[in-house]
Amino acid sequence: MTFDPMMVRPLFPALNQHINQQPILFFDGPGGSQVTQSVLDAMNHYLGHYNSNLGGAFFSSVETSALMATARHAAQTFVNAPSASNMIFGANMTTLTFQLSRAISRDWQKGDEVIVTALDHYSNVSSWQQAAEDKGATVHQVRINKTNCDVDYEHFDALLTPRTKLVAITYASNVTGSLIDMQRIITAAHAVGAKVYVDAVHYAPHRLIDVQALGCDFLVCSAYKFFGPHLGIAYIAPQWVQSLRPYKVEPAPNDGPARFETGTQNFESLAGFIAAVDYLAAYSRTLDTQALSLRQHLRRSFDAYQTYEQTLSRYFINKLHRYNNVQLFGLPHEQHRTPTFAIRINGTQPADVAIALGKQNICVWHGHFYAQGLCEQLNLIDNGGVIRIGCMHYNTFDEIDTLFKALDCDLTLK
Ligand SMILES: Cc1ncc(COP(=O)(O)O)c(C=O)c1O
């Protein structure tokens, strides 16, 4: 059985609403996805019954501590970490990265080097530039290969030296959808003794993460990009959980993942996150009655989402090929990419296109999406950036047809 988005669309209240008597087309997924009723119910239930804190002797606190443990376990399963104690939570990916960059850079000194990339969202660039500046370390930025909007691997190889302390790199571009050959990056970085910090924010809704297969040192993602609430999640490899010294308040725990978690956690978001992981696994449960683990269900579900998303990509790109006044930034086929497309239409500004579509309830983003290096290299930064059309597994072929019809009428795509 192949994945059909009509099976899951009824589960998402936002997908079934009308504004001005018109349906809404959500092509804004890379900026934040919609959530299922089960996610809303889980958050509502926690706040309505238990809203509390950790470590108390009474029922609501006991429930909160149990919720925290379940969330860590869900996060462990989601990324295939060796243990739940490798997983930490925070406000979002950016805040977690600034926090972790403080701890990771504590022993850096003048002469040390850090590698970031021009493909990355700047949450994974500025945090390292500022940490390096504080320690007198040098930052190198890997160029992109302008033809396919991938990282320039040869440039990466040339920048990597035994002085490299850290490589910070995205797993997938939030603008062009390009997937990175992470195994290649990690093998090369580890060969010179550098740690690897992976930004999996754009990757997470589209492909199943496996930190043990990757062997990365750190990996971060954000639940609001994969059908959950606003919540940052980080994986820390076992060798760094106790050996790093995070900035923390003195009485807070000194052991385990809690030493990285500043202040009170967003427990309602943790409840929603658990429900989002369950939602992602649920498709596999509809296939048969096999008794599989949560991870195995996630594996089968993601395989189906990936296959479906590739057909969406092919469909979108084939339609795009019919026009000769549209420029696609990124891979012109469905392989090695997510269904996220960065385009420009000759003679129009991305903002104007997004406004025209927005008036018809078609949600697309425009701009540079904090991928400053990429947009600078493509000379798009002072020029309005791109129109980003992002599909999730809940998007349909009909929606793509409607989008192109709107573009045809309003913007005279030719
Ligand atoms: C690839 C990528 N990395 C990092 C971020 C920042 O994530 P957060 O909003 O959780 O800080 C984003 C947000 O759009 C992103 O797309």
mmCIF file of all heavy atoms in Angstrom, residues 29 99 115 138 142 150 172 176 185 206 230-231 293 313 344 353 365 382 396:
data_model
loop_
_atom_site.group_PDB
_atom_site.id
_atom_site.type_symbol
_atom_site.label_atom_id
_atom_site.label_comp_id
_atom_site.label_asym_id
_atom_site.label_seq_id
_atom_site.Cartn_x
_atom_site.Cartn_y
_atom_site.Cartn_z
ATOM 1 N N GLY A 29 5.536 24.575 5.005
ATOM 2 C CA GLY A 29 6.050 23.595 5.968
ATOM 3 C C GLY A 29 7.471 23.824 6.456
ATOM 4 O O GLY A 29 7.739 23.680 7.650
ATOM 5 N N GLN A 99 23.488 27.879 23.453
ATOM 6 C CA GLN A 99 23.833 27.310 24.755
ATOM 7 C C GLN A 99 24.959 26.280 24.627
ATOM 8 O O GLN A 99 25.957 26.329 25.336
ATOM 9 C CB GLN A 99 22.616 26.571 25.290
ATOM 10 C CG GLN A 99 21.916 27.225 26.441
ATOM 11 C CD GLN A 99 20.652 26.436 26.728
ATOM 12 O OE1 GLN A 99 19.637 26.648 26.054
ATOM 13 N NE2 GLN A 99 20.700 25.534 27.676
ATOM 14 N N ILE A 115 34.771 25.053 11.290
ATOM 15 C CA ILE A 115 34.237 25.107 9.921
ATOM 16 C C ILE A 115 32.718 25.199 9.972
ATOM 17 O O ILE A 115 32.051 24.388 10.639
ATOM 18 C CB ILE A 115 34.678 23.865 9.106
ATOM 19 C CG1 ILE A 115 36.207 23.884 8.943
ATOM 20 C CG2 ILE A 115 33.989 23.829 7.745
ATOM 21 C CD1 ILE A 115 36.755 22.721 8.121
ATOM 22 N N THR A 138 39.645 30.685 14.745
ATOM 23 C CA THR A 138 39.369 31.149 13.374
ATOM 24 C C THR A 138 38.208 30.353 12.791
ATOM 25 O O THR A 138 38.154 29.136 12.952
ATOM 26 C CB THR A 138 40.624 30.891 12.497
ATOM 27 O OG1 THR A 138 41.723 31.506 13.161
ATOM 28 C CG2 THR A 138 40.478 31.459 11.101
ATOM 29 N N VAL A 142 32.625 27.027 4.364
ATOM 30 C CA VAL A 142 32.645 26.242 3.120
ATOM 31 C C VAL A 142 31.690 26.890 2.115
ATOM 32 O O VAL A 142 30.558 27.227 2.460
ATOM 33 C CB VAL A 142 32.169 24.787 3.379
ATOM 34 C CG1 VAL A 142 32.291 23.948 2.110
ATOM 35 C CG2 VAL A 142 32.936 24.158 4.514
ATOM 36 N N ASP A 150 24.579 22.486 -3.446
ATOM 37 C CA ASP A 150 25.078 21.553 -2.437
ATOM 38 C C ASP A 150 26.319 22.219 -1.817
ATOM 39 O O ASP A 150 26.794 23.221 -2.337
ATOM 40 C CB ASP A 150 25.486 20.245 -3.146
ATOM 41 C CG ASP A 150 25.548 19.074 -2.187
ATOM 42 O OD1 ASP A 150 25.552 19.313 -0.969
ATOM 43 O OD2 ASP A 150 25.612 17.926 -2.673
ATOM 44 N N ALA A 172 20.253 19.164 5.738
ATOM 45 C CA ALA A 172 19.445 19.470 4.544
ATOM 46 C C ALA A 172 19.215 20.973 4.517
ATOM 47 O O ALA A 172 18.993 21.581 5.571
ATOM 48 C CB ALA A 172 18.109 18.740 4.602
ATOM 49 N N THR A 176 16.879 25.206 -0.390
ATOM 50 C CA THR A 176 16.873 24.461 -1.659
ATOM 51 C C THR A 176 16.456 23.005 -1.491
ATOM 52 O O THR A 176 16.240 22.309 -2.483
ATOM 53 C CB THR A 176 18.278 24.456 -2.281
ATOM 54 O OG1 THR A 176 19.148 23.741 -1.386
ATOM 55 C CG2 THR A 176 18.811 25.865 -2.464
ATOM 56 N N ILE A 185 31.146 13.828 5.466
ATOM 57 C CA ILE A 185 31.620 14.951 6.288
ATOM 58 C C ILE A 185 32.131 14.430 7.633
ATOM 59 O O ILE A 185 33.210 14.802 8.101
ATOM 60 C CB ILE A 185 30.462 15.969 6.521
ATOM 61 C CG1 ILE A 185 29.957 16.549 5.197
ATOM 62 C CG2 ILE A 185 30.851 17.038 7.541
ATOM 63 C CD1 ILE A 185 30.786 17.617 4.573
ATOM 64 N N HIS A 206 11.378 14.922 6.954
ATOM 65 C CA HIS A 206 11.409 14.234 5.655
ATOM 66 C C HIS A 206 12.119 12.884 5.671
ATOM 67 O O HIS A 206 11.767 11.994 4.910
ATOM 68 C CB HIS A 206 12.076 15.142 4.615
ATOM 69 C CG HIS A 206 11.384 16.466 4.483
ATOM 70 N ND1 HIS A 206 10.123 16.584 3.952
ATOM 71 C CD2 HIS A 206 11.759 17.718 4.849
ATOM 72 C CE1 HIS A 206 9.760 17.865 3.965
ATOM 73 N NE2 HIS A 206 10.724 18.569 4.513
ATOM 74 N N HIS A 230 6.334 24.040 19.383
ATOM 75 C CA HIS A 230 7.632 24.735 19.409
ATOM 76 C C HIS A 230 8.484 24.176 20.548
ATOM 77 O O HIS A 230 8.169 24.353 21.724
ATOM 78 C CB HIS A 230 7.404 26.241 19.530
ATOM 79 C CG HIS A 230 6.733 26.775 18.311
ATOM 80 N ND1 HIS A 230 5.374 26.946 18.231
ATOM 81 C CD2 HIS A 230 7.239 27.081 17.091
ATOM 82 C CE1 HIS A 230 5.070 27.370 17.017
ATOM 83 N NE2 HIS A 230 6.175 27.458 16.298
ATOM 84 N N LEU A 231 9.552 23.500 20.170
ATOM 85 C CA LEU A 231 10.414 22.800 21.132
ATOM 86 C C LEU A 231 11.716 22.441 20.420
ATOM 87 O O LEU A 231 11.680 21.906 19.314
ATOM 88 C CB LEU A 231 9.718 21.504 21.597
ATOM 89 C CG LEU A 231 10.515 20.592 22.531
ATOM 90 C CD1 LEU A 231 10.545 21.182 23.941
ATOM 91 C CD2 LEU A 231 9.902 19.190 22.591
ATOM 92 N N SER A 293 8.519 -2.377 17.240
ATOM 93 C CA SER A 293 8.874 -1.322 18.191
ATOM 94 C C SER A 293 8.495 0.037 17.598
ATOM 95 O O SER A 293 8.247 0.154 16.389
ATOM 96 C CB SER A 293 10.380 -1.354 18.453
ATOM 97 O OG SER A 293 11.056 -0.985 17.255
ATOM 98 N N SER A 313 7.804 15.679 -5.469
ATOM 99 C CA SER A 313 8.922 16.467 -6.037
ATOM 100 C C SER A 313 8.957 16.321 -7.555
ATOM 101 O O SER A 313 9.105 17.301 -8.287
ATOM 102 C CB SER A 313 10.274 16.001 -5.481
ATOM 103 O OG SER A 313 10.412 16.405 -4.150
ATOM 104 N N ARG A 344 12.640 31.624 -8.487
ATOM 105 C CA ARG A 344 12.361 33.026 -8.809
ATOM 106 C C ARG A 344 11.702 33.062 -10.173
ATOM 107 O O ARG A 344 11.999 32.241 -11.047
ATOM 108 C CB ARG A 344 13.654 33.850 -8.848
ATOM 109 C CG ARG A 344 14.115 34.280 -7.460
ATOM 110 C CD ARG A 344 15.248 35.255 -7.554
ATOM 111 N NE ARG A 344 14.816 36.561 -8.017
ATOM 112 C CZ ARG A 344 14.840 37.662 -7.280
ATOM 113 N NH1 ARG A 344 15.249 37.616 -6.025
ATOM 114 N NH2 ARG A 344 14.468 38.816 -7.793
ATOM 115 N N VAL A 353 5.083 37.937 -5.369
ATOM 116 C CA VAL A 353 4.474 36.641 -5.692
ATOM 117 C C VAL A 353 3.827 36.059 -4.435
ATOM 118 O O VAL A 353 2.672 35.592 -4.461
ATOM 119 C CB VAL A 353 5.540 35.658 -6.249
ATOM 120 C CG1 VAL A 353 4.915 34.294 -6.528
ATOM 121 C CG2 VAL A 353 6.190 36.224 -7.508
ATOM 122 N N TRP A 365 6.538 31.011 1.523
ATOM 123 C CA TRP A 365 7.431 32.000 2.126
ATOM 124 C C TRP A 365 8.285 32.661 1.050
ATOM 125 O O TRP A 365 8.504 32.092 -0.012
ATOM 126 C CB TRP A 365 8.354 31.332 3.153
ATOM 127 C CG TRP A 365 7.681 30.985 4.448
ATOM 128 C CD1 TRP A 365 7.293 29.748 4.863
ATOM 129 C CD2 TRP A 365 7.329 31.887 5.504
ATOM 130 N NE1 TRP A 365 6.731 29.816 6.110
ATOM 131 C CE2 TRP A 365 6.736 31.121 6.529
ATOM 132 C CE3 TRP A 365 7.465 33.279 5.684
ATOM 133 C CZ2 TRP A 365 6.276 31.675 7.725
ATOM 134 C CZ3 TRP A 365 6.997 33.830 6.866
ATOM 135 C CH2 TRP A 365 6.410 33.033 7.873
ATOM 136 N N ASP A 382 20.264 41.050 -1.548
ATOM 137 C CA ASP A 382 19.682 42.404 -1.622
ATOM 138 C C ASP A 382 18.607 42.472 -2.690
ATOM 139 O O ASP A 382 18.251 43.549 -3.152
ATOM 140 C CB ASP A 382 20.788 43.427 -1.940
ATOM 141 C CG ASP A 382 21.836 43.446 -0.857
ATOM 142 O OD1 ASP A 382 21.460 43.346 0.322
ATOM 143 O OD2 ASP A 382 23.035 43.529 -1.200
ATOM 144 N N THR A 396 -0.848 17.569 -1.416
ATOM 145 C CA THR A 396 -1.401 16.688 -2.462
ATOM 146 C C THR A 396 -1.020 17.195 -3.860
ATOM 147 O O THR A 396 -0.640 18.359 -4.031
ATOM 148 C CB THR A 396 -2.943 16.654 -2.375
ATOM 149 O OG1 THR A 396 -3.433 17.969 -2.689
ATOM 150 C CG2 THR A 396 -3.435 16.254 -0.999
#
